[in-house]
């Protein structure tokens, strides 16, 4: 049976939902294992779908990783676009945005590593394509709403690109450190309560850091 | 010829310096490639040393990675210990420390990924061992010098562990993003001037964020 037939005959699942299930399962494996190394065989066992389907839909591992990144990043870029368009003071936009970044890293703790892996391993055009689709819009958004706050004097004068780097790094680190939490502090409570505490403290820290006194 | 004989006969190089050269070369490969994936064969070619020596000194790849981490982290932990012991106001200690963290990530941009990889892949005792040797002392240091500043009222009241996570994440992110800089902004100037600009802005951001008003 060809992979295509297998896709059609896979229980009640049509092609689109089989593809979606593979992306969803791969995302869960990366989240649980705090890793971006996934094997086609584990993906096949966990999703209950034939591993030929993975090859059929995504070609190779990079194809699967790109599909996961697309699913996760498209929403982020859209949300930032909507935020920019809102009639809201820059400090409220920034506060809202930092909270959203922290929630995103909680949900997809692998997303930075995944982006870096693809940018590093794809041919230059592929790397540029990912930068253009997902990273440039975010960097430009910082230029706009941080720039607005600097112009009106509500923010201190600083470089929005360097600020972007500090904010996303601070937001990301905590959640990639799940195992640090476990082995350093003997804690397994890496849950939504912890996320909320981290969000609150980090948003306050960054806002106090950028607001003009 | 056995690996041990090869170690003795390797030009003028004695065992200790051949081992050191392998660590140094592996560190350079990881820094240049922005990766922690190194192959024994590349290491052998770049160092000019027989690949049997890698196995002889380090056993396997985890052994080599642990040796690199030990070289890089021992110095960091010592420096933080000296800083704590200094007779200096907490805000000066913190300012100095954040600058040092940024310099460290510039020098060893792989160090967080390397730590995480070992904590994830080693057996639980090995992971705990790494946490105890390198991460716990740093976390405890934050408890001390951030705690001191909170007690004296110079810092806002916050959780030092969550703060530790935000600071190291902010310091780290920029330098692991070398390729982002290249593909997003078409810039290849990832040099000491850039490091200095990032250090200055990020130290100011975090200090403004934590100082009580």
């Amino acid at each position: 049976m060809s992979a295509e037939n297998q896709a059609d005959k896979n229980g009640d699942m049509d092609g689109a939902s089989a593809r979606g299930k593979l992306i969803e399962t791969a995302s869960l494996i990366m989240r649980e294992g705090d890793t971006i190394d996934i094997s086609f065989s584990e993906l096949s066992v966990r999703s209950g779908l034939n591993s030929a389907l993975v090859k059929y839909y995504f070609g190779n591992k990079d194809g699967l990783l790109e599909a996961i990144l697309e699913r996760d990043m498209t929403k982020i870029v859209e949300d930032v676009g909507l935020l920019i368009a809102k009639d809201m003071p820059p400090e409220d936009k920034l506060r809202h945005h930092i909270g959203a970044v922290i929630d995103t890293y909680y949900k997809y703790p692998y997303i930075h590593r995944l982006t870096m892996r693809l940018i590093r391993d794809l041919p230059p055009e592929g790397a540029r394509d990912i930068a253009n689709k997902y990273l440039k819009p975010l960097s430009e958004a910082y230029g706009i709403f941080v720039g607005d706050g600097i112009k009106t004097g509500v923010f201190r004068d600083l470089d929005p690109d360097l600020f972007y780097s500090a904010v996303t790094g601070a937001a990301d680190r905590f959640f990639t450190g799940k195992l640090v939490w476990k082995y350093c502090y003997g804690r397994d409570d890496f849950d939504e309560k912890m996320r909320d505490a981290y969000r609150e403290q980090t948003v306050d820290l960054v806002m106090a850091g950028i607001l003009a006194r």
Side-chain angles (χ1 to χ4, degrees), chain A:
Chain A
M1 181 162 58
S2 75
E4 195 161 4
N5 287 340
Q6 156 87 21
D8 292 339
K9 297 193 177 171
N10 208 85
D12 295 331
M13 205 173 268
D14 62 16
S17 65
R19 187 178 182 277
K21 187 167 176 55
L22 288 169
I23 292 176
E24 178 60 31
T25 309
S27 168
L28 274 176
I29 293 172
M30 296 198 296
R31 184 173 199 270
E32 286 170 15
D34 208 10
T35 179
I36 56 165
D37 298 322
I38 45 169
S39 70
F40 279 9
S41 59
E42 186 183 2
L43 181 55
S44 165
V45 169
R46 289 277 302 263
S47 66
L49 294 170
N50 191 308
S51 72
L53 277 182
V54 182
K55 293 220 168 82
Y56 174 68
Y57 286 121
F58 307 105
N60 56 25
K61 198 172 277 181
D62 279 354
L64 171 64
L65 296 179
E66 282 188 76
I68 297 167
L69 194 67
E70 185 179 17
R71 184 198 68 166
D72 298 346
M73 287 297 274
T74 302
K75 171 103 179 65
I76 296 171
V77 171
E78 279 173 10
D79 284 352
V80 170
L82 290 173
L83 186 66
I84 289 182
K86 270 196 181 157
D87 184 22
M88 206 191 242
E91 65 273 30
D92 292 353
K93 284 187 187 177
L94 183 58
R95 180 172 279 278
H96 181 91
H97 169 72
I98 302 169
V101 174
I102 288 173
D103 289 346
T104 300
Y105 281 118
Y106 177 75
K107 216 167 151 191
Y108 312 123
Y110 53 77
I111 203 164
H112 177 69
R113 283 168 284 172
L114 184 59
T115 309
M116 289 300 101
R117 148 89 188 259
L118 285 168
I119 285 189
R120 201 187 66 213
D121 292 350
L122 288 175
E125 319 81 73
R128 237 185 318 270
D129 192 43
I130 286 187
N132 286 338
K133 271 199 289 190
Y134 309 127
L135 302 178
K136 259 198 170 150
L138 294 177
S139 149
E140 284 164 5
Y142 271 72
I144 295 169
F145 66 78
V146 174
D148 281 351
I150 295 171
K151 258 181 253 155
T152 58
V154 68
F155 294 154
R156 293 191 295 111
D157 191 15
L158 43 70
D159 180 323
D161 286 332
L162 303 187
F163 178 73
Y164 169 51
S165 182
V167 168
T168 52
D172 184 14
R173 170 58 60 93
F174 187 56
F175 302 110
T176 62
K178 188 164 70 173
L179 293 170
V180 173
W181 212 248
K182 182 173 168 191
Y183 288 111
C184 252
Y185 308 111
R187 291 173 67 162
D188 268 321
D189 56 342
F190 221 83
D191 54 13
E192 294 182 6
K193 218 176 122 195
M194 182 83 88
R195 175 198 64 195
D196 293 347
Y198 193 66
R199 191 205 299 114
E200 191 184 340
Q201 175 163 317
T202 305
V203 169
D204 282 350
L205 181 76
V206 176
M207 292 309 297
I210 194 175
L211 285 169
R213 298 206 172 197

